[in-house]
Amino acid sequence: FILFSPRTSAYWEHLLKTIVMGQVLSVLICGTAVSCQYLVDAGVETPMLQSFLNYSLLLLVFTTNLSTRKGQNLLQILKTKWWKYLLMALADVEANYAVVKAYQFTTLTSIQLLDCFVIPVLMLLSWVFLKTRYRAGHFVAVMVCLFGVGAMIGADILAGRDQGSTSHVALGDGLVLLSAVLYAVSNVCQEYTVKNLSIIEFLGLMGLFGTLISGIQLHAVCHLCPVYVCTVQPHACCGEDDQCYCGQPVSTHL
């Protein structure tokens, strides 16, 4: 009777819905990771451009919705809380940039495993700012997570040493850990905003400031780092006089 009571049934329905949505989100994140690895393998290194497109879509959909909403609209929110969303967007933009940049230096497996470092950082921030309390089992899981992070970093360094280089692997792992810390900050702010304010407000302001920050950073990167492409001749190279040129800088910005 207790198991099939309306309250208990609603609880299990909510739990099942949460688990399913979490798994769908995991599949989407996995697809993003695989796509990033394919781009790096193909020689396409555009970490900031990828983030800029994501925030532009948020700007197009949710910021537009927020600006036309009656009551507390975009301008009223910006007057009082613009700096809070600016800091949240900065943390989220740099987290995305760091993790996508890491694909150029380390492996997909290492990135996905090291990304779990966000869990202990998130728990710490939630304990301090959201007053969330955890049980002993949660802390045991965090210790296992930290042990796995340390083992993964050690394995990457040893593998890089066997290949004659450890700097790039260590740099990639460091970018993933930095990204995990920034993601934890962004996720804590996101949880507080969504539960206490509005999901439309959060997505709209993140789209606005995320597009602004990533656009400025993208413009700066394009000026500091020239883009190199490989020019391909329309005919086959059939003699010594035919030459294929590669690595020529182009002036076109991303």
Side-chain angles (χ1 to χ4, degrees):
F1 174 76
I2 297 177
L3 182 62
F4 295 100
S5 62
R7 183 177 179 180
T8 306
S9 177
Y11 168 78
W12 288 109
E13 181 180 353
H14 176 74
L15 179 61
L16 180 61
K17 182 180 179 180
T18 303
I19 294 175
V20 171
M21 292 179 64
Q23 294 305 309
V24 172
L25 180 60
S26 299
V27 171
L28 294 177
I29 294 176
C30 180
T32 302
V34 173
S35 301
C36 291
Q37 187 64 57
Y38 273 122
L39 289 175
V40 172
D41 293 340
V44 180
E45 300 177 358
T46 56
M48 186 49 62
L49 178 61
Q50 294 173 237
S51 298
F52 177 77
L53 295 176
N54 292 333
Y55 292 113
S56 297
L57 291 175
L58 290 178
L59 175 68
L60 180 63
V61 177
F62 294 101
T63 308
T64 303
N65 186 354
L66 188 62
S67 61
T68 58
R69 190 175 63 175
K70 296 181 180 180
Q72 192 176 19
N73 56 19
L74 179 62
L75 293 178
Q76 294 176 340
I77 296 173
L78 289 176
K79 289 179 181 180
T80 57
K81 295 179 287 188
W82 65 270
W83 63 274
K84 297 180 181 179
Y85 286 104
L86 177 63
L87 294 178
M88 283 191 286
L90 181 62
D92 197 70
V93 169
E94 299 308 325
N96 288 324
Y97 176 79
V99 71
V100 177
K101 188 68 176 179
Y103 284 92
Q104 301 176 16
F105 306 109
T106 188
T107 62
L108 172 62
T109 304
S110 297
I111 292 175
Q112 293 300 296
L113 292 177
L114 290 175
D115 195 48
C116 68
F117 183 66
V118 69
I119 298 175
V121 180
L122 185 61
M123 289 180 61
L124 177 62
L125 295 178
S126 299
W127 179 286
V128 175
F129 296 103
L130 300 182
K131 307 303 180 182
T132 305
R133 295 298 176 256
Y134 301 96
R135 297 180 179 179
H138 294 105
F139 293 103
V140 172
V142 168
M143 295 302 297
V144 173
C145 175
L146 293 176
F147 177 78
V149 169
M152 197 67 214
I153 294 176
D156 281 345
I157 293 177
L158 292 176
R161 186 178 301 164
D162 293 339
Q163 297 173 2
S165 174
T166 60
S167 60
H168 289 175
V169 173
L171 176 60
D173 291 347
L175 287 174
V176 178
L177 296 179
L178 174 62
S179 173
V181 174
L182 294 175
Y183 269 134
V185 174
S186 177
N187 289 341
V188 169
C189 297
Q190 177 181 347
E191 180 178 353
Y192 176 83
T193 306
V194 170
K195 288 184 177 180
N196 296 278
L197 299 176
S198 168
I199 186 173
I200 301 297
E201 177 179 328
F202 176 80
L203 293 176
L205 271 297
M206 289 297 290
L208 175 62
F209 287 109
T211 302
L212 179 63
I213 295 172
S214 59
I216 294 174
Q217 188 168 342
L218 175 62
H219 186 71
V221 169
C222 287
H223 277 82
L224 294 176
C225 302
V227 181
Y228 289 86
V229 297
C230 180
T231 58
V232 182
Q233 293 182 348
H235 57 84
C237 296
C238 56
E240 296 181 356
D241 294 335
D242 294 326
Q243 296 179 354
C244 294
Y245 301 94
C246 63
Q248 297 180 355
V250 295
S251 58
T252 304
H253 300 302
L254 296 177

